Amino acid sequence: VVTSIPEDLDEQQTEILKAFINYDQVTWDIWFTREGVENAEPLTTPEFYQVIRDNYNTLGDGRTDGTVRLAVKEVFAMSPTQSQVLVCVDQSDLVSYDADGNDVSNPDTLQGRYEVLATMVYEGNGWLEYTESTLSSNECVVEP
C-alpha cells in the first residue's frame, strides 16, 4: 500500500515512480506467494534480476502474510538515464510461514521499518531497477 508520494513531481519523476511502484508490487507478490520470480526479469537489469533469483532460491516453500506500507520520500532524476527513489517501507505487519504453516518470522530481518534507496536506470524503453540499499532500520515513519 502506497501511503504517500511527494507533491509536484515532473513528468520524468512520475514515470520513474510508476516504474518503481510496479517493480515493488511485483517483487512483493513474489515474496508473499513464493511464485513468479520470472515476473521481475523485465523490470530489472540482468545483474539485479540475478540478485532477486538468488534471494528467491533461498526462500523455500511457504508464504508471507500481512500488509507492506510504503511512503515515497523523494524521487531524484539525476540524468536522463539514472534516477533514485527514496522510500520508507513499513513491514512491521508481516508474518512469514514455512510450507507446514509454522510461523518462521525473523523480527530482525522481516518486521520493521526500512529506509531504502532504489537506483534505477533507463534502458531500452523504460526504467529498470538497478540496485537497492537499506539506509536505516526502524528510524523512518510511514503515516497511515
Side-chain angles (χ1 to χ4, degrees), residues 48-109:
F48 197 64
Y49 178 63
Q50 188 58 53
V51 170
I52 292 171
R53 284 196 63 82
D54 291 347
N55 289 337
Y56 175 81
N57 289 335
T58 65
L59 281 177
D61 293 333
R63 71 182 195 286
T64 301
D65 290 338
T67 301
V68 176
R69 296 177 334 146
L70 177 87
V72 180
K73 301 296 186 184
E74 297 281 341
V75 179
F76 306 100
M78 294 147 21
S79 77
T81 59
Q82 188 173 22
S83 65
Q84 292 182 318
V85 180
L86 179 65
V87 297
C88 180
V89 182
D90 184 345
Q91 300 175 200
S92 56
D93 185 41
L94 298 185
V95 180
S96 187
Y97 298 97
D98 65 14
D100 296 323
N102 299 308
D103 183 340
V104 292
S105 304
N106 180 345
D108 295 332
T109 58

Side-chain angles (χ1 to χ4, degrees), residues 23-37:
Y23 154 81
D24 196 56
Q25 289 175 334
V26 166
T27 52
W28 275 111
D29 285 345
I30 294 165
W31 308 137
F32 274 71
T33 64
R34 309 293 204 277
E35 297 176 356
V37 69

